[in-house]
Amino acid sequence: MPHILIVEDEAAIADTLIFVLQGEGFTTTWLTLGQAALDHQRQTPADLIILDIGLPDITGFETCKQLRRFSEVPVMFLSARDGEIDRVVGLEIGADDYVVKPFSPREVAARVKAILKRVAPVAASANGSRFQVDQERVQISYGGQLLNLTRHEFRLLNCLLEQPERVFSREQLLDAVGVPADAGYERNIDSHIKSLRSKLRSVAAEAEPIQTHRGLGYSYSPSHS
Ligand code: CA
């Protein structure tokens, strides 16, 4: 079940959100301070954060800016009045959506679902996938951390994630990356894979989500991630 972190200093608003979100099957945590939300997200990452802009300690904007230094979790701003948030500014800070108070809790729940669907984990395994692909932003997160990928690495990893356990030949992967499959480029795939693996290891040193199949190619193995 997706877990939603609600950061809102007005109990009545938080209560309404908790009620409607839990009614939709989400689990929730409620906090009233921006700093507490940052600490909480570091310890136990939520799947989405609903973030009030007017908080008693640091603003929701500042909270979101600091959050983006270590997490790509989707954020929905709650704004006290129309005009408090400029949509463009909000998106630049890294928000995924915003609603203006007073809002319909059902609409908030619907938007939460829409955002989560957009960033839905690819190929959930028994362990749950540790990867999240955001096609619109051309971003992949692993274990809640945004990977700093080149465009080729993104396409390569995205291709592997789309079909867990399928072994792709180097030629097929070159095709996915969008470079011509002539001999010289085949080793190129190996160097992209090497670079990808080192980025994944910096998140999870023990995991080996990309498996090598000698003489055949590579696959994504959810059970090794
Ligand atoms: Ca407030």
Side-chain angles (χ1 to χ4, degrees):
M1 257 320 123
H3 188 78
I4 314 296
L5 173 57
I6 299 163
V7 192
E8 165 63 65
D9 56 311
E10 285 172 69
I13 293 174
D15 280 347
T16 315
L17 288 173
I18 291 166
F19 180 78
V20 73
L21 290 170
Q22 290 189 350
E24 295 285 348
F26 297 109
T27 56
T28 55
T29 297
W30 171 37
L31 296 170
T32 57
L33 299 175
Q35 191 56 54
L38 292 169
D39 295 342
H40 189 273
Q41 189 62 17
R42 278 199 186 89
Q43 301 297 320
T44 41
D47 298 296
L48 184 144
I49 301 181
I50 297 179
L51 186 55
D52 184 31
I53 292 170
L55 294 169
D57 60 339
I58 53 174
T59 66
F61 290 135
E62 182 57 31
T63 307
C64 189
K65 268 193 227 166
Q66 293 191 30
L67 180 71
R68 284 292 174 252
R69 289 177 198 153
F70 67 91
S71 172
E72 276 302 310
V73 62
V75 169
M76 180 191 290
F77 277 130
L78 296 183
S79 170
R81 57 181 186 281
D82 217 351
E84 180 179 36
I85 177 166
D86 179 309
R87 181 164 184 90
V88 177
V89 171
L91 296 177
E92 273 173 6
I93 293 170
D96 296 82
D97 204 353
Y98 73 94
V99 289
V100 177
K101 299 175 188 173
F103 49 76
S104 143
R106 305 238 156 258
E107 191 194 340
V108 171
R111 292 213 204 170
V112 163
K113 280 196 225 164
I115 295 171
L116 288 174
K117 201 172 170 192
R118 181 158 67 83
V119 298
V122 167
S125 66
N127 312 335
S129 175
R130 305 195 66 207
F131 289 95
Q132 283 197 319
V133 180
D134 187 335
Q135 301 286 357
E136 275 179 41
R137 294 185 178 187
V138 199
Q139 288 174 344
I140 300 177
S141 298
Y142 179 49
Q145 287 190 46
L146 182 66
L147 297 169
N148 183 19
L149 303 176
T150 65
R151 193 152 282 265
H152 281 177
E153 287 166 358
F154 171 85
R155 288 186 185 150
L156 192 54
L157 183 55
N158 189 41
C159 171
L160 290 166
L161 292 176
E162 276 175 348
Q163 295 184 62
E165 312 293 357
R166 174 180 165 186
V167 180
F168 287 90
S169 68
R170 288 173 176 78
E171 197 177 1
Q172 287 167 330
L173 290 171
L174 279 169
D175 201 40
V177 167
V179 295
D182 55 50
Y185 274 108
E186 293 210 1
R187 265 170 313 210
N188 222 329
I189 285 293
D190 295 338
S191 71
H192 287 315
I193 293 279
K194 194 175 167 191
S195 161
L196 257 179
R197 279 182 171 149
S198 96
K199 290 174 183 181
L200 297 174
R201 278 197 198 106
S202 72
V203 177
E206 303 303 313
E208 199 61 80
I210 301 176
Q211 299 277 303
T212 304
H213 301 265
R214 200 173 283 275
L216 296 170
Y218 299 96
S219 71
Y220 158 56
S221 170
S223 58
H224 290 86
S225 60

